[in-house]
Amino acid sequence: MLKDVFGSFGGAYVPEAQLKALKELEEVFLKYRDDEEFNAELNYYLKDYVGRQSPLYYADNLTKACGGAKIYLKREDLNHTGAHKINNVLGQVLLAKRMGKKKVIAETGAGQHGVATATVAALMGMECTVYMGKEDMKRQALNVFRMEMLGAKVVAATSGTQTLKEAVDEAIDAWVNASDDTFYVLGSAVGPHPYPTIVKHFQKVISEESRAQILEKEGKLPKAIIACVGGGSNAIGSFAAYIEDSEVELIGVEAAGKGIDTPMHAATIAKGEPTVLHGMKTLCVLDENKEVAPVYSISPGLDYPGIGPEHAYLNEIGRGKYVTITDAEAVEALLTLCKTEGILPAIESSHALAYAMKYAPTCKPEEAIIVTVSGRGDKDVEAIADYLKENQ
Ligand SMILES: *Cc1c(COP(=O)(O)O)cnc(C)c1O
């Protein structure tokens, strides 16, 4: 077994067959992480294809509406494909190319990571298969079609609840059986070592940019960074460059769904217990039989029963603070950002915004906070309309 990498969390709790593929991945990652040519190629695509760097936008209207700290938005919603996920996918697919792999596979929940992977596979001329829960395929039929338009094959995961958890299980199985010519592009800062470390590495561009941008605009570091947490990739990428800056508060926002005292939530840090899921030791929402429980959020990107092991660790040592926001609060924040700034954020990102709207008034006007807008909300318009119809 590889070493535990984040205090008592992380590690690689996998069968022997997977360990070999993970070891190979770790070696390649370590070889190319600081390789000049690799990084030049990655940066080329991040700039000319994804559209980086993403703006750090001072939301003056929102700041005035809330009172208190100046609110800055890190605009990952402006990336090609509409979210932060492509930062990580590009990095991993370029690694796959260096390894001589011809095919990539990925898991997807609502389809966002699947779309990002299908996009980069098309760009790089690689064969792409996406595993998606059968239930999710029904709910997100448009994203299934979108992936197919991009040339990917979408395979239904039919075990268990037929959602994201099973899609990951089936993608890992498929990978282990075909790892000679296939690379597994994992979509969040989760899974066995070295995936959480790799995903953080490719998402830390968010905070490397925002740190330089805020220093230029404000001449000092922000009081807090606020990001939503599903598996935790946009959050760890948003935090990474500030972890050593103890004066900067790192705040992760989990989905409280219909409330953390109901079974309808996805608040892993608030309600989770240590367990092994998808090859990592982490906190996880469990049922009374200590089995992984179904989780719920209005955000398709936040309903993962576990959390990236580094977040479990940052919480344990007190470096990160983790809070929860309900469906209702997230929807209200989404509508507020639309009306005050003309920006339609993803419902996932709206969890971070909702907490920022509560937090800013507790700060002084000369302080600044940064909220990561992890994605755009075009994909959520129908769900918001349904929600408002049901909750008038
Ligand atoms: C997938 C997704 C998330 C949640 O994933 P993390 O790995 O926690 O970042 C958040 N926001 C958007 C827009 C997403 O697509």
Side-chain angles (χ1 to χ4, degrees):
M1 191 194 298
L2 296 169
K3 65 181 184 333
D4 280 3
V5 275
F6 306 107
S8 53
F9 300 104
Y13 296 82
V14 298
E16 201 60 38
Q18 265 182 54
L19 216 45
K20 188 174 142 278
L22 290 168
K23 197 87 208 147
E24 190 195 6
L25 175 62
E26 184 181 29
E27 277 162 20
V28 169
F29 172 64
L30 292 175
K31 180 169 168 200
Y32 288 109
R33 183 174 56 177
D34 301 313
D35 183 85
E36 226 170 278
E37 212 178 295
F38 179 85
N39 286 319
E41 190 177 4
L42 176 61
N43 289 333
Y44 164 75
Y45 286 112
L46 286 175
K47 179 166 172 280
D48 284 9
Y49 189 74
V50 176
R52 302 204 74 91
Q53 61 179 11
S54 68
L56 183 70
Y57 168 67
Y58 169 54
D60 188 39
N61 297 333
L62 182 65
T63 298
K64 289 192 175 120
C66 295
K70 295 171 85 168
I71 303 173
Y72 281 87
L73 306 179
K74 183 59 174 158
R75 300 287 309 275
E76 294 300 302
D77 58 311
L78 296 177
N79 295 338
H80 177 47
T81 65
H84 67 291
K85 290 209 169 67
I86 194 153
N87 303 328
N88 166 55
V89 170
L90 256 179
Q92 289 196 38
V93 173
L94 288 176
L95 279 182
K97 274 182 74 178
R98 289 293 195 283
M99 294 170 87
K101 310 280 182 192
K102 300 275 181 280
K103 303 179 190 171
V104 294
I105 58 177
E107 83 294 342
T108 200
Q112 297 165 120
H113 175 58
V115 167
T117 306
T119 297
V120 177
L123 172 70
M124 301 289 174
M126 295 179 100
E127 208 175 289
C128 177
T129 305
V130 178
Y131 290 81
M132 188 170 186
K134 196 172 169 201
E135 204 42 53
D136 288 335
M137 283 177 75
K138 269 190 248 158
R139 286 190 292 211
Q140 305 285 340
L142 212 57
N143 267 339
V144 174
F145 183 62
R146 194 168 160 200
M147 288 184 269
E148 288 168 352
M149 283 173 69
L150 291 159
K153 188 172 142 204
V154 182
V155 174
T158 53
S159 55
T161 58
Q162 308 189 336
T163 59
L164 177 59
K165 180 185 168 292
E166 290 77 24
V168 176
D169 290 335
E170 296 191 23
I172 292 177
D173 279 350
W175 177 50
V176 171
N177 291 324
S179 67
D180 286 348
D181 66 347
T182 303
F183 187 100
Y184 177 27
V185 182
L186 188 45
S188 189
V190 301
H193 176 81
Y195 274 109
T197 301
I198 292 177
V199 175
K200 177 190 184 186
H201 177 77
F202 290 129
Q203 290 293 1
K204 76 170 194 279
V205 63
I206 301 172
S207 53
E208 284 172 348
E209 287 178 4
S210 79
R211 199 173 191 285
Q213 290 167 315
I214 197 80
L215 284 174
E216 194 193 313
K217 288 174 197 283
E218 290 288 325
K220 62 178 182 194
L221 292 175
K223 176 151 198 290
I225 311 290
I226 303 176
C228 67
V229 181
S233 69
N234 90 85
I236 205 70
S238 300
F239 295 170
Y242 301 95
I243 289 177
E244 305 297 320
D245 303 312
S246 56
E247 72 271 33
V248 180
E249 238 188 301
L250 307 177
I251 304 174
V253 186
E254 299 192 291
K258 296 186 191 299
I260 58 171
D261 297 322
T262 75
M264 304 285 279
H265 67 79
T268 314
I269 295 252
K271 303 295 269 190
E273 302 168 60
T275 191
V276 171
L277 171 71
H278 295 145
M280 62 179 161
K281 178 104 165 278
T282 192
L283 296 173
C284 207
V285 181
L286 304 179
D287 65 16
E288 60 275 15
N289 303 318
K290 302 290 170 203
E291 305 276 346
V292 175
V295 284
Y296 162 84
S297 163
I298 188 173
S299 305
L302 300 184
D303 60 359
Y304 180 66
I307 186 166
E310 190 165 1
H311 290 293
Y313 172 66
L314 291 173
N315 175 61
E316 185 177 50
I317 63 171
R319 179 65 190 96
K321 177 171 127 184
Y322 293 83
V323 298
T324 65
I325 283 292
T326 62
D327 286 356
E329 292 171 313
V331 170
E332 195 180 322
L334 180 146
L335 296 173
T336 300
L337 196 68
C338 283
K339 296 214 169 84
T340 57
E341 297 286 352
I343 296 172
L344 167 57
I347 186 65
E348 289 83 4
S349 324
S350 301
H351 287 70
L353 288 159
Y355 188 73
M357 290 175 197
K358 291 191 199 178
Y359 180 87
T362 70
C363 305
K364 302 189 195 87
E366 63 271 21
E367 290 171 326
I369 63 175
I370 297 178
V371 189
T372 299
V373 181
S374 53
R376 65 175 182 232
D378 307 53
K379 67 182 180 60
D380 299 313
V381 170
E382 207 182 324
I384 300 299
D386 289 345
Y387 179 90
L388 293 176
K389 223 181 286 163
E390 283 162 27
N391 293 277
Q392 264 166 10

